[in-house]
Amino acid sequence: MYTYLFVLAAFCYAVCACLPSKNRMAISLGTLFGWLLHGGALWVDVVTSGSLRMGFAIMLSATLWISVAAYWLENRNFSLDGLRILVLPCAAVSVLLPTVFPGNLIPLDGKSALFPWHIAIAMLAYSTLTIAAFHAVLMALQESKLHTRQSAQKAGWFALALDRLPALLTMEKLLFRLIGFGFFLLTLTVLSGVVFSEELFGKAFKWEHKTIFTMLSWLLFGILLAGRKWRGWRGKTALSFTLTGFTTLLLAYVGSRFVLEVVLHRSVA
């Protein structure tokens, strides 16, 4: 019944991704409208009476939903048109995934009141580090373009969008601001999972694939922030750590659930 909300949200994202950057107001309003539709659809789909619907598609969709919000807010302070071209098409695809892969219902009866908070913080951490990964890709493209300058007449629309990005140093400051906040949220996610494992999930803490990948991602981002502070890491080193940490985090939950739900057809909580 609410499928049309997902479709409308995907349509708004797709249109806003294709609009010329000069239509700044239309892009902003269209993105906001799509984001509201996306959020409403997720709420109706995920929150049911006495249970939560979870799955790799819902997790990915929710992550991109928060990432779109981060882009929209960040774009009000800086011109990040190149980020729009990366984020909105991905959001348009992810918003439709729950209609194809609905996931499983997780009963909340007997679970701690901390459980929804753990899920919410985890999604915020995933989303913040997702937008950081998009940001890192943009920086890599921006840096590459500096070494292959071409005339404005020959440049494509994406190259022109890259030209409108802030300077690399500003982009780098934004990247580490996102990583710092994402690392803080990921730390809360890891701590709540370790300390309250039995209360949250009804079982003692286990070293499984999801835990190992999450801890590895946390370690990578921690090393990056420490290297930035004490060794002044930047440029390709920072981008490599960011994308590796993000890929590892993606494998921790979304990737493992995709294998279990879609490839192995197993119902998981």
Side-chain angles (χ1 to χ4, degrees):
M1 186 175 180
Y2 47 80
T3 303
Y4 72 94
L5 292 177
F6 286 115
V7 175
L8 281 175
F11 177 75
C12 287
Y13 287 153
V15 169
C16 289
C18 296
L19 283 174
S21 57
K22 63 182 179 180
N23 300 317
R24 190 174 175 87
M25 182 59 70
I27 291 170
S28 180
L29 292 175
T31 301
L32 179 60
F33 185 61
W35 181 80
L36 291 172
L37 289 172
H38 189 175
L42 278 174
W43 178 264
V44 173
D45 190 30
V46 172
V47 181
T48 59
S49 180
S51 61
L52 290 176
R53 184 182 299 279
M54 297 300 295
F56 89 92
I58 290 171
M59 189 70 175
L60 194 60
S61 183
T63 296
L64 266 298
W65 179 69
I66 300 174
S67 297
V68 169
Y71 148 73
W72 189 82
L73 291 171
E74 205 173 78
N75 193 53
R76 296 175 67 85
N77 299 317
F78 302 93
S79 178
L80 297 174
D81 204 52
L83 192 59
R84 165 179 69 98
I85 296 164
L86 287 178
V87 172
L88 293 188
C90 292
V93 173
S94 72
V95 73
L96 296 173
L97 286 178
T99 65
V100 182
F101 306 104
N104 313 111
L105 284 175
I106 301 176
L108 294 178
D109 293 339
K111 288 195 180 293
S112 168
L114 294 171
F115 182 74
W117 286 104
H118 174 77
I119 297 297
I121 293 172
M123 284 197 296
L124 282 171
Y126 272 74
S127 304
T128 304
L129 294 171
T130 296
I131 203 74
F134 281 126
H135 208 91
V137 170
L138 272 184
M139 287 179 62
L141 294 172
Q142 190 180 16
E143 186 175 15
S144 175
K145 192 172 185 298
L146 289 176
H147 302 294
T148 56
R149 298 299 300 174
Q150 54 185 323
S151 67
Q153 292 179 340
K154 293 182 179 180
W157 60 275
F158 185 63
L160 293 174
L162 288 177
D163 284 336
R164 285 187 289 271
L165 290 173
L168 267 173
L169 284 177
T170 303
M171 292 285 285
E172 190 173 77
K173 289 179 182 177
L174 288 171
L175 176 66
F176 277 97
R177 187 189 304 171
L178 287 166
I179 292 173
F181 183 57
F183 180 73
F184 170 73
L185 292 171
L186 188 60
T187 301
L188 291 180
T189 303
V190 170
L191 287 176
S192 64
V194 171
V195 177
F196 301 109
S197 181
E198 192 160 358
E199 189 176 352
L200 285 169
F201 308 111
K203 58 184 178 182
F205 177 75
K206 288 185 177 181
W207 283 101
E208 53 188 7
H209 56 272
K210 182 170 65 177
T211 304
I212 293 171
F213 277 121
T214 300
M215 294 294 289
L216 181 58
S217 177
W218 178 84
L219 184 63
L220 286 169
F221 283 115
I223 292 173
L224 172 58
L225 291 173
R228 168 74 169 182
K229 181 175 178 61
W230 303 112
R231 302 295 297 273
W233 285 358
R234 52 179 305 186
K236 291 183 178 179
T237 301
L239 299 182
S240 297
F241 265 90
T242 301
L243 294 176
T244 304
F246 169 73
T247 303
T248 307
L249 187 61
L250 192 68
L251 290 173
Y253 188 86
V254 176
S256 60
R257 289 194 68 109
F258 176 82
V259 172
L260 291 171
E261 292 177 25
V262 179
V263 178
L264 300 179
H265 302 289
R266 285 172 53 186
S267 176
V268 291

Coordinates of all heavy atoms in Angstrom, one line a residue, residues 61-132:
S61 N 18.7 1.4 2.6 CA 17.7 2.4 2.2 C 17.8 3.5 3.3 O 17.8 4.7 3.0 CB 16.3 1.9 2.1 OG 15.4 2.9 1.7
A62 N 17.7 3.1 4.6 CA 17.8 4.0 5.7 C 19.1 4.8 5.7 O 19.2 6.0 6.1 CB 17.6 3.3 7.0
T63 N 20.2 4.1 5.4 CA 21.5 4.7 5.4 C 21.6 5.8 4.3 O 22.0 6.9 4.6 CB 22.6 3.7 5.1 OG1 22.6 2.7 6.1 CG2 24.0 4.3 4.9
L64 N 21.0 5.5 3.1 CA 21.0 6.6 2.1 C 20.0 7.7 2.4 O 20.3 8.8 2.0 CB 20.7 5.9 0.8 CG 21.9 5.5 -0.1 CD1 22.7 6.7 -0.6 CD2 22.7 4.5 0.5
W65 N 19.0 7.4 3.2 CA 18.0 8.4 3.6 C 18.7 9.5 4.4 O 18.6 10.7 4.2 CB 16.9 7.8 4.3 CG 15.8 8.8 4.8 CD1 15.0 9.5 4.1 CD2 15.6 9.1 6.2 NE1 14.2 10.3 4.9 CE2 14.5 10.1 6.2 CE3 16.1 8.7 7.4 CZ2 14.0 10.7 7.3 CZ3 15.6 9.3 8.6 CH2 14.6 10.2 8.5
I66 N 19.5 9.0 5.4 CA 20.2 9.9 6.3 C 21.4 10.6 5.5 O 21.7 11.8 5.7 CB 20.8 9.2 7.5 CG1 19.6 8.6 8.3 CG2 21.5 10.1 8.4 CD1 20.0 7.7 9.5
S67 N 21.9 9.9 4.6 CA 23.0 10.5 3.8 C 22.5 11.6 2.9 O 23.2 12.6 2.7 CB 23.7 9.4 2.9 OG 24.3 8.4 3.7
V68 N 21.3 11.4 2.4 CA 20.7 12.5 1.6 C 20.5 13.7 2.5 O 20.7 14.9 2.0 CB 19.3 12.1 1.0 CG1 18.5 13.2 0.4 CG2 19.6 11.0 -0.1
A69 N 20.0 13.5 3.7 CA 19.8 14.6 4.6 C 21.2 15.3 4.9 O 21.2 16.6 4.9 CB 19.2 14.1 5.9
A70 N 22.2 14.6 5.1 CA 23.6 15.1 5.3 C 24.0 16.0 4.1 O 24.5 17.1 4.2 CB 24.6 14.0 5.6
Y71 N 23.8 15.4 2.9 CA 24.1 16.2 1.7 C 23.3 17.5 1.6 O 23.9 18.5 1.3 CB 23.9 15.3 0.4 CG 23.5 16.1 -0.8 CD1 24.4 16.9 -1.4 CD2 22.1 16.2 -1.2 CE1 24.0 17.7 -2.5 CE2 21.7 17.0 -2.2 CZ 22.7 17.8 -2.9 OH 22.3 18.6 -3.9
W72 N 22.0 17.4 1.8 CA 21.2 18.5 1.7 C 21.6 19.7 2.7 O 21.6 20.8 2.3 CB 19.7 18.1 2.0 CG 18.7 19.2 1.7 CD1 18.2 19.5 0.4 CD2 18.1 20.1 2.6 NE1 17.3 20.5 0.6 CE2 17.2 20.9 1.9 CE3 18.2 20.3 4.0 CZ2 16.4 21.9 2.5 CZ3 17.4 21.3 4.6 CH2 16.6 22.1 3.8
L73 N 21.9 19.3 3.9 CA 22.3 20.3 4.9 C 23.7 20.8 4.6 O 24.0 22.0 4.7 CB 22.3 19.6 6.3 CG 21.0 19.3 6.9 CD1 21.1 18.5 8.1 CD2 20.2 20.6 7.1
E74 N 24.6 19.9 4.1 CA 26.0 20.4 3.8 C 26.0 21.3 2.6 O 26.8 22.2 2.5 CB 26.8 19.1 3.6 CG 28.3 19.3 3.8 CD 29.1 18.0 3.7 OE1 29.4 17.6 2.6 OE2 29.4 17.5 4.8
N75 N 25.1 21.0 1.7 CA 25.0 21.8 0.4 C 24.5 23.2 0.6 O 24.7 24.1 -0.2 CB 24.1 21.0 -0.6 CG 24.3 21.6 -2.0 OD1 25.4 21.7 -2.5 ND2 23.2 22.0 -2.6
R76 N 23.9 23.4 1.8 CA 23.4 24.8 2.1 C 24.6 25.7 2.5 O 24.5 26.9 2.4 CB 22.4 24.7 3.2 CG 21.1 24.0 2.8 CD 20.1 23.8 3.9 NE 19.6 25.1 4.3 CZ 18.5 25.7 3.7 NH1 17.9 25.1 2.7 NH2 18.1 26.9 4.1
N77 N 25.7 25.1 3.0 CA 26.8 25.9 3.4 C 27.9 25.9 2.3 O 28.7 26.9 2.2 CB 27.4 25.3 4.7 CG 26.4 25.4 5.8 OD1 25.7 26.4 6.0 ND2 26.3 24.3 6.6
F78 N 28.0 24.8 1.6 CA 29.0 24.7 0.5 C 28.4 24.2 -0.8 O 27.4 23.5 -0.7 CB 30.1 23.7 0.9 CG 30.8 24.1 2.2 CD1 30.4 23.6 3.4 CD2 31.9 24.9 2.2 CE1 31.1 23.9 4.6 CE2 32.6 25.3 3.3 CZ 32.1 24.7 4.6
S79 N 28.9 24.6 -1.9 CA 28.4 24.2 -3.2 C 28.9 22.8 -3.5 O 30.1 22.6 -3.8 CB 28.8 25.1 -4.3 OG 28.3 24.6 -5.5
L80 N 28.1 21.7 -3.3 CA 28.5 20.4 -3.4 C 27.7 19.6 -4.5 O 27.1 18.6 -4.3 CB 28.4 19.6 -2.1 CG 29.3 20.2 -0.9 CD1 29.0 19.4 0.4 CD2 30.8 20.0 -1.3
D81 N 27.7 20.3 -5.7 CA 26.9 19.7 -6.7 C 27.4 18.3 -7.2 O 26.6 17.5 -7.6 CB 26.8 20.7 -7.9 CG 25.6 20.5 -8.8 OD1 24.5 20.5 -8.2 OD2 25.8 20.3 -10.0
G82 N 28.7 18.1 -7.1 CA 29.2 16.8 -7.5 C 28.7 15.7 -6.6 O 28.5 14.6 -7.0
L83 N 28.5 16.1 -5.3 CA 28.0 15.1 -4.3 C 26.6 14.7 -4.6 O 26.2 13.6 -4.5 CB 28.1 15.7 -2.9 CG 27.9 14.8 -1.7 CD1 29.0 13.6 -1.8 CD2 28.0 15.5 -0.4
R84 N 25.8 15.7 -5.1 CA 24.4 15.4 -5.5 C 24.4 14.3 -6.6 O 23.6 13.4 -6.6 CB 23.8 16.6 -6.0 CG 22.5 16.4 -6.8 CD 21.9 17.7 -7.3 NE 22.7 18.4 -8.3 CZ 22.4 18.3 -9.6 NH1 21.4 17.6 -10.0 NH2 23.1 19.0 -10.5
I85 N 25.3 14.4 -7.5 CA 25.4 13.5 -8.7 C 25.8 12.1 -8.2 O 25.4 11.1 -8.9 CB 26.3 14.0 -9.8 CG1 25.8 15.4 -10.3 CG2 26.5 13.1 -10.9 CD1 26.8 16.2 -11.1
L86 N 26.4 12.0 -7.1 CA 26.8 10.6 -6.6 C 25.7 10.1 -5.7 O 25.3 8.9 -5.7 CB 28.1 10.7 -5.9 CG 29.4 10.9 -6.7 CD1 30.6 11.0 -5.8 CD2 29.6 9.7 -7.7
V87 N 25.2 11.0 -4.8 CA 24.3 10.5 -3.7 C 22.9 10.2 -4.2 O 22.3 9.1 -3.9 CB 24.3 11.5 -2.6 CG1 23.2 11.2 -1.6 CG2 25.6 11.7 -1.9
L88 N 22.3 11.1 -5.0 CA 20.9 11.0 -5.3 C 20.6 9.7 -6.2 O 19.6 9.1 -6.0 CB 20.4 12.2 -6.0 CG 20.3 13.5 -5.1 CD1 19.6 14.6 -5.8 CD2 19.6 13.1 -3.8
P89 N 21.4 9.4 -7.2 CA 21.2 8.2 -8.0 C 21.2 6.9 -7.1 O 20.4 6.0 -7.3 CB 22.3 8.2 -9.1 CG 22.6 9.6 -9.2 CD 22.5 10.2 -7.9
C90 N 22.2 6.9 -6.2 CA 22.3 5.8 -5.3 C 21.1 5.7 -4.4 O 20.5 4.6 -4.1 CB 23.6 5.9 -4.4 SG 25.1 5.7 -5.3
A91 N 20.6 6.9 -3.9 CA 19.4 6.9 -3.1 C 18.2 6.5 -3.8 O 17.3 5.8 -3.3 CB 19.2 8.3 -2.5
A92 N 18.1 6.8 -5.1 CA 17.0 6.5 -6.0 C 16.9 4.9 -6.1 O 15.8 4.4 -6.1 CB 17.1 7.1 -7.3
V93 N 18.0 4.3 -6.2 CA 18.0 2.8 -6.3 C 17.7 2.2 -4.9 O 16.9 1.3 -4.8 CB 19.4 2.3 -6.8 CG1 19.5 0.8 -6.8 CG2 19.6 2.8 -8.2
S94 N 18.4 2.7 -3.9 CA 18.2 2.1 -2.6 C 16.8 2.2 -2.0 O 16.3 1.4 -1.3 CB 19.2 2.7 -1.6 OG 18.8 4.0 -1.2
V95 N 16.1 3.3 -2.4 CA 14.8 3.5 -1.9 C 13.8 2.5 -2.4 O 12.8 2.2 -1.7 CB 14.3 5.0 -2.2 CG1 13.9 5.1 -3.7 CG2 13.1 5.4 -1.4
L96 N 14.1 1.9 -3.5 CA 13.2 0.8 -4.1 C 13.5 -0.6 -3.6 O 12.7 -1.5 -3.7 CB 13.3 0.9 -5.6 CG 12.8 2.2 -6.3 CD1 13.1 2.1 -7.8 CD2 11.3 2.3 -6.1
L97 N 14.7 -0.8 -3.0 CA 15.1 -2.1 -2.6 C 14.2 -2.8 -1.6 O 13.9 -4.0 -1.8 CB 16.6 -2.1 -2.1 CG 17.7 -1.9 -3.1 CD1 19.0 -1.8 -2.4 CD2 17.7 -3.0 -4.2
P98 N 13.7 -2.1 -0.6 CA 12.8 -2.8 0.3 C 11.5 -3.3 -0.3 O 10.9 -4.3 0.3 CB 12.4 -1.7 1.4 CG 13.6 -0.7 1.3 CD 14.0 -0.7 -0.1
T99 N 11.1 -2.8 -1.4 CA 9.9 -3.4 -2.1 C 10.2 -4.7 -2.7 O 9.3 -5.5 -3.0 CB 9.4 -2.4 -3.2 OG1 10.4 -2.3 -4.2 CG2 9.1 -1.0 -2.6
V100 N 11.5 -5.0 -3.0 CA 11.9 -6.2 -3.6 C 12.4 -7.2 -2.6 O 12.1 -8.4 -2.6 CB 13.0 -6.0 -4.7 CG1 13.5 -7.3 -5.3 CG2 12.6 -5.0 -5.7
F101 N 13.2 -6.7 -1.6 CA 13.7 -7.5 -0.5 C 13.2 -7.0 0.8 O 13.8 -6.1 1.4 CB 15.2 -7.5 -0.5 CG 15.9 -7.9 -1.8 CD1 16.4 -6.9 -2.7 CD2 15.9 -9.2 -2.3 CE1 16.9 -7.2 -3.9 CE2 16.4 -9.5 -3.5 CZ 17.0 -8.6 -4.3
P102 N 12.0 -7.4 1.3 CA 11.4 -6.8 2.5 C 12.0 -7.1 3.8 O 11.7 -6.5 4.8 CB 10.0 -7.5 2.4 CG 10.1 -8.8 1.7 CD 11.2 -8.5 0.7
G103 N 12.9 -8.1 3.9 CA 13.6 -8.4 5.1 C 12.7 -9.2 6.1 O 11.7 -9.9 5.6
N104 N 13.0 -9.2 7.4 CA 12.3 -10.0 8.4 C 11.8 -9.1 9.5 O 12.3 -8.1 9.8 CB 13.2 -11.1 8.9 CG 14.0 -11.8 7.8 OD1 15.2 -11.6 7.7 ND2 13.3 -12.6 7.0
L105 N 10.7 -9.6 10.1 CA 10.2 -8.9 11.3 C 10.9 -9.4 12.5 O 11.1 -10.6 12.8 CB 8.7 -9.2 11.4 CG 7.7 -8.4 10.5 CD1 6.3 -8.9 10.7 CD2 7.8 -6.9 10.7
I106 N 11.3 -8.4 13.4 CA 12.0 -8.7 14.6 C 11.1 -8.3 15.8 O 10.9 -7.1 16.0 CB 13.3 -8.0 14.8 CG1 14.3 -8.4 13.6 CG2 14.0 -8.3 16.1 CD1 15.6 -7.6 13.6
P107 N 10.5 -9.3 16.5 CA 9.6 -8.9 17.6 C 10.4 -8.1 18.7 O 11.5 -8.5 19.0 CB 9.2 -10.3 18.2 CG 9.4 -11.2 17.1 CD 10.6 -10.7 16.4
L108 N 9.7 -7.1 19.3 CA 10.4 -6.3 20.3 C 10.0 -6.8 21.7 O 10.6 -6.4 22.7 CB 9.9 -4.9 20.2 CG 10.4 -4.2 18.9 CD1 9.9 -2.7 18.9 CD2 12.0 -4.2 18.8
D109 N 9.1 -7.8 21.8 CA 8.7 -8.4 23.1 C 9.9 -9.0 23.7 O 10.6 -9.9 23.1 CB 7.6 -9.4 22.9 CG 6.3 -8.8 22.4 OD1 6.1 -7.6 22.6 OD2 5.5 -9.5 21.9
G110 N 10.2 -8.6 25.0 CA 11.3 -9.2 25.7 C 12.6 -8.6 25.4 O 13.6 -8.9 26.1
K111 N 12.7 -7.7 24.5 CA 13.9 -7.0 24.2 C 14.0 -5.7 25.0 O 13.0 -5.1 25.4 CB 14.1 -6.7 22.7 CG 14.3 -7.9 21.8 CD 14.8 -7.5 20.5 CE 15.0 -8.7 19.6 NZ 16.1 -9.6 20.0
S112 N 15.3 -5.3 25.3 CA 15.5 -4.1 26.1 C 15.1 -2.9 25.3 O 15.0 -2.8 24.1 CB 17.0 -4.0 26.4 OG 17.3 -2.8 26.9
A113 N 14.7 -1.8 26.1 CA 14.4 -0.5 25.5 C 15.6 0.1 24.8 O 15.5 1.0 24.0 CB 13.9 0.4 26.6
L114 N 16.8 -0.5 25.1 CA 18.0 0.0 24.5 C 18.1 -0.5 23.0 O 18.9 0.1 22.2 CB 19.3 -0.5 25.2 CG 19.5 0.1 26.6 CD1 20.6 -0.7 27.3 CD2 19.8 1.5 26.6
F115 N 17.4 -1.5 22.7 CA 17.6 -2.1 21.3 C 17.3 -1.1 20.2 O 18.1 -1.0 19.3 CB 16.7 -3.3 21.2 CG 16.8 -4.0 19.9 CD1 17.9 -4.8 19.6 CD2 15.8 -3.9 18.9 CE1 18.0 -5.5 18.4 CE2 15.9 -4.6 17.7 CZ 17.0 -5.3 17.4
P116 N 16.1 -0.4 20.2 CA 15.9 0.6 19.1 C 16.9 1.7 19.1 O 17.3 2.1 18.0 CB 14.5 1.1 19.5 CG 13.8 0.1 20.3 CD 15.0 -0.5 21.1
W117 N 17.4 2.1 20.3 CA 18.5 3.1 20.3 C 19.8 2.6 19.7 O 20.5 3.3 19.0 CB 18.7 3.6 21.7 CG 17.6 4.4 22.3 CD1 16.7 4.1 23.1 CD2 17.4 5.8 21.9 NE1 15.8 5.1 23.4 CE2 16.3 6.2 22.7 CE3 18.0 6.7 21.1 CZ2 15.7 7.5 22.6 CZ3 17.5 8.0 21.0 CH2 16.4 8.4 21.7
H118 N 20.1 1.3 19.9 CA 21.3 0.7 19.4 C 21.2 0.7 17.8 O 22.1 1.1 17.1 CB 21.4 -0.7 19.9 CG 22.5 -1.5 19.2 ND1 23.9 -1.3 19.5 CD2 22.5 -2.4 18.2 CE1 24.6 -2.2 18.8 NE2 23.8 -2.8 18.0
I119 N 20.0 0.3 17.3 CA 19.8 0.3 15.9 C 19.9 1.7 15.3 O 20.5 1.9 14.2 CB 18.4 -0.3 15.6 CG1 18.3 -1.7 16.0 CG2 18.1 -0.2 14.1 CD1 19.2 -2.7 15.3
A120 N 19.3 2.7 16.0 CA 19.3 4.1 15.5 C 20.7 4.7 15.4 O 21.1 5.3 14.4 CB 18.4 5.0 16.4
I121 N 21.5 4.4 16.5 CA 22.8 4.9 16.5 C 23.7 4.2 15.4 O 24.5 4.9 14.8 CB 23.5 4.7 17.9 CG1 22.8 5.6 18.9 CG2 25.0 5.1 17.9 CD1 23.2 5.4 20.4
A122 N 23.5 2.9 15.3 CA 24.2 2.2 14.2 C 23.9 2.8 12.8 O 24.8 2.9 12.0 CB 23.9 0.7 14.3
M123 N 22.6 3.1 12.6 CA 22.3 3.6 11.3 C 22.9 5.0 11.1 O 23.3 5.4 10.0 CB 20.8 3.6 11.1 CG 20.2 2.3 10.8 SD 18.5 2.3 10.1 CE 17.6 3.0 11.5
L124 N 22.9 5.8 12.1 CA 23.5 7.1 12.0 C 25.0 7.0 11.7 O 25.5 7.8 10.9 CB 23.3 7.9 13.3 CG 21.9 8.5 13.5 CD1 21.8 9.1 14.9 CD2 21.7 9.6 12.5
A125 N 25.6 6.0 12.4 CA 27.1 5.8 12.1 C 27.3 5.4 10.7 O 28.2 5.9 10.0 CB 27.6 4.8 13.1
Y126 N 26.5 4.4 10.2 CA 26.6 3.9 8.8 C 26.4 5.1 7.8 O 27.2 5.3 6.9 CB 25.6 2.9 8.5 CG 26.0 1.5 8.8 CD1 26.1 1.0 10.2 CD2 26.3 0.6 7.8 CE1 26.4 -0.3 10.5 CE2 26.7 -0.7 8.1 CZ 26.7 -1.2 9.4 OH 27.1 -2.4 9.7
S127 N 25.4 5.9 8.1 CA 25.1 7.0 7.2 C 26.1 8.1 7.1 O 26.5 8.6 6.1 CB 23.7 7.6 7.6 OG 22.7 6.6 7.7
T128 N 26.6 8.4 8.3 CA 27.7 9.5 8.3 C 28.9 9.0 7.6 O 29.5 9.8 6.8 CB 28.0 9.8 9.8 OG1 26.9 10.2 10.5 CG2 29.0 11.0 9.9
L129 N 29.3 7.8 7.8 CA 30.5 7.3 7.1 C 30.2 7.0 5.6 O 31.2 7.0 4.8 CB 31.0 6.0 7.9 CG 31.5 6.3 9.3 CD1 31.8 5.0 10.0 CD2 32.8 7.2 9.2
T130 N 29.0 6.7 5.3 CA 28.6 6.6 3.9 C 28.8 7.9 3.1 O 29.4 8.0 2.0 CB 27.2 6.1 3.7 OG1 27.0 4.8 4.3 CG2 26.7 6.1 2.2
I131 N 28.3 9.0 3.7 CA 28.5 10.3 3.1 C 30.0 10.7 3.1 O 30.4 11.3 2.1 CB 27.6 11.4 3.8 CG1 27.3 12.5 2.8 CG2 28.3 11.9 5.0 CD1 26.3 12.3 1.8
A132 N 30.7 10.2 4.1 CA 32.2 10.5 4.1 C 32.8 9.7 2.9 O 33.8 10.2 2.3 CB 32.8 10.0 5.4

